[in-house]
């Protein structure tokens, strides 16, 4: 079986000096290698091809046969690493909490153990007949969240 550390070192070597970052690396028992990278401005197919070739050049097919897939983290997929939260500050996100509650709002802050989403909700104010829309900051610990995704609005 191919050593994950070897592949991770190859990926990190290729990433040096680039704005790309690794979001996921898996190697199955049958040596299927899946590498996901991300970038604040999106991932170019040419860069996926270049990384794939770099990894292939660093591994020996004569010693072990493997399947290699290099791609982007994918828009609309759950965030997997802290850096994805950082690059999506200011964007609309969808969050599913551990209790099963969904939140939609703007990712307004990222800390080491938590992040802040500003949500807009209807609030009944004293003395008014109709509820008004108000913004509220919700601070969530990463441990209390099942997933967070970049929200795509098709309107």
């Amino acid at each position: 079986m191919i050593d994950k550390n070897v592949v991770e070192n190859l990926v990190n070597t290729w990433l040096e000096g680039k704005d790309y970052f690794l979001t996921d690396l898996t190697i199955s028992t049958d040596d299927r290698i899946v590498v996901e990278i991300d970038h604040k401005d999106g991932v170019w197919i040419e860069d996926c091809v270049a990384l794939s070739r770099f990894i292939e050049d660093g591994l020996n097919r004569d010693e072990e046969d493997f399947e290699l897939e290099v791609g982007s983290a994918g828009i609309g997929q759950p965030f997997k690493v802290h850096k994805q939260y950082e690059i999506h500050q200011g964007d609309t996100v969808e969050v599913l909490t551990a209790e099963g509650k969904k939140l939609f709002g703007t990712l307004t802050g990222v800390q080491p153990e938590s992040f802040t989403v500003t949500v807009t909700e209807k609030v009944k104010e004293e003395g008014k007949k109709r509820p008004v829309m108000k913004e509220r900051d919700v601070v969530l610990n990463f441990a209390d969240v099942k997933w967070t995704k970049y929200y795509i609005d098709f309107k």
Side-chain angles (χ1 to χ4, degrees):
M1 184 167 163
I2 295 176
D3 185 359
K4 185 175 182 177
N5 291 325
V6 170
V7 177
E8 190 168 6
N9 286 336
L10 287 168
V11 171
N12 287 333
T13 299
W14 186 85
L15 292 173
E16 282 179 22
K18 297 177 179 66
D19 290 331
Y20 283 103
F21 56 94
L22 180 66
T23 60
D24 198 21
L25 169 62
T26 58
I27 302 176
S28 67
T29 55
D30 61 345
D31 286 334
R32 181 172 187 267
I33 305 167
V34 179
V35 178
E36 289 183 2
I37 57 174
D38 205 352
H39 185 283
K40 66 181 176 74
D41 296 325
V43 176
W44 295 94
I45 188 71
E46 294 85 0
D47 292 326
C48 290
V49 170
L51 175 55
S52 179
R53 288 184 179 144
F54 186 83
I55 293 168
E56 283 194 32
D57 289 345
L59 299 175
N60 188 344
R61 282 200 184 270
D62 292 335
E63 290 178 15
E64 295 194 68
D65 190 31
F66 59 89
E67 179 183 344
L68 177 61
E69 178 183 325
V70 176
S72 69
I75 197 159
Q77 296 297 312
F79 297 166
K80 295 179 181 174
V81 296
H82 196 267
K83 180 96 173 162
Q84 289 176 296
Y85 285 86
E86 292 173 359
I87 66 171
H88 285 288
Q89 286 188 80
D91 292 335
T92 303
V93 294
E94 178 181 4
V95 179
L96 180 63
T97 66
E99 295 108 27
K101 182 179 178 185
K102 275 194 180 180
L103 300 170
F104 296 91
T106 303
L107 181 59
T108 52
V110 180
Q111 297 78 36
E113 301 296 323
S114 63
F115 62 99
T116 304
V117 176
T118 302
V119 297
T120 304
E121 57 191 8
K122 288 182 183 179
V123 176
K124 177 77 170 132
E125 287 189 339
E126 191 174 319
K128 296 198 177 188
K129 289 185 177 184
R130 297 182 185 262
V132 294
M133 299 303 282
K134 290 262 187 175
E135 287 188 345
R136 174 175 69 96
D137 287 343
V138 179
V139 178
L140 299 157
N141 290 319
F142 289 110
D144 298 332
V145 172
K146 284 187 179 179
W147 51 254
T148 303
K149 299 177 184 179
Y150 173 74
Y151 182 70
I152 303 167
D153 188 4
F154 293 103
K155 292 180 185 177

